[in-house]
Amino acid sequence: MKTIGLIGGLSWESSALYYNLINKKVNEILGGFHSAKCVLVSVDFAEIEKLQKIEDWDSQNKIMVQSAKQLENAGADLIVLCTNTMHISSDEIIKNTSVPFLHIANATAENIKEKGLKKIALLGTKFTMEKDFYKDILNDFGIETIIPNEKDRGFVHDIIYKELVQGIINNNSREVYKKVIQDLEKRGAEGVILGCTEIPLLIQQNDVDIPIFDTTKIHVESAVKIALKSK
């Protein structure tokens, strides 16, 4: 079994979910007393959130690269970044480490392609929705991406930062997300990417009519598949 390296703390709520799901998946496949071989570097999200507010991506890149190098030095065989937004730093991580990096958007795009969908809604932080680092990968797979209007993007972003990253699950916020998704479906979305690792804490498949793509679950399953693949 390969050792999965996790960059966490972005937020710790979703990192805990990653750890839980990875170990459950390994045990589901191998049975008995099996659990995953993991190493974790967890950053202080307050530092990241402060840098995100001023969009200082260079400083965030340095933190992500440093974290990836710590995992490399600790013996990780692959690196998993337990967040969507900070995949903005993926190119720098790949450039500065020799350990294979599992990109969440690649794993998600492969899953969408398997289901034959062509037009997908993307929810996440405003950075994930508005910047191209995620949409470009989906486009490479022949998938068109649509995002909420500006007002709805604000609602989606604020609920993530003011509630979900702090472990607050609000039924009113669930209704807001459901309405946003319904509006995207009317615009032709055949499915919706839950492109923030905290969103599955709020939205599940039975909340909406179109298929959801839980990026946390997809990322985890891809990581475990690699970790258990024979050399």
Side-chain angles (χ1 to χ4, degrees), residues 123-192:
L123 299 185
T125 67
K126 67 177 182 179
F127 312 112
T128 298
M129 291 186 287
E130 295 174 1
K131 293 185 179 295
D132 292 331
F133 72 99
Y134 215 102
K135 289 177 277 191
D136 283 348
I137 289 176
L138 293 167
N139 186 59
D140 288 341
F141 281 79
I143 300 165
E144 180 186 353
T145 308
I146 60 172
I147 61 174
N149 61 46
E150 185 176 359
K151 183 179 178 182
D152 285 350
R153 291 200 300 273
F155 289 147
V156 171
H157 179 87
D158 287 345
I159 288 168
I160 291 169
Y161 277 84
K162 294 178 180 178
E163 298 176 17
L164 298 181
V165 298
Q166 299 180 52
I168 299 169
I169 308 301
N170 187 311
N171 284 331
N172 289 334
S173 296
R174 180 178 289 110
E175 292 304 313
V176 170
Y177 267 58
K178 286 167 67 174
K179 178 156 189 323
V180 170
I181 293 168
Q182 286 167 4
D183 289 344
L184 290 163
E185 184 180 3
K186 290 175 184 175
R187 290 170 51 195
E190 301 170 309
V192 57

Side-chain angles (χ1 to χ4, degrees), residues 23 41-42 51 73 81 93 98 157 175 191 202 207 210 216:
N23 281 285
V41 171
S42 191
L51 294 170
N73 292 336
L81 182 51
I93 292 172
S98 59
H157 179 87
E175 292 304 313
L202 187 67
D207 292 313
I210 56 177
T216 303

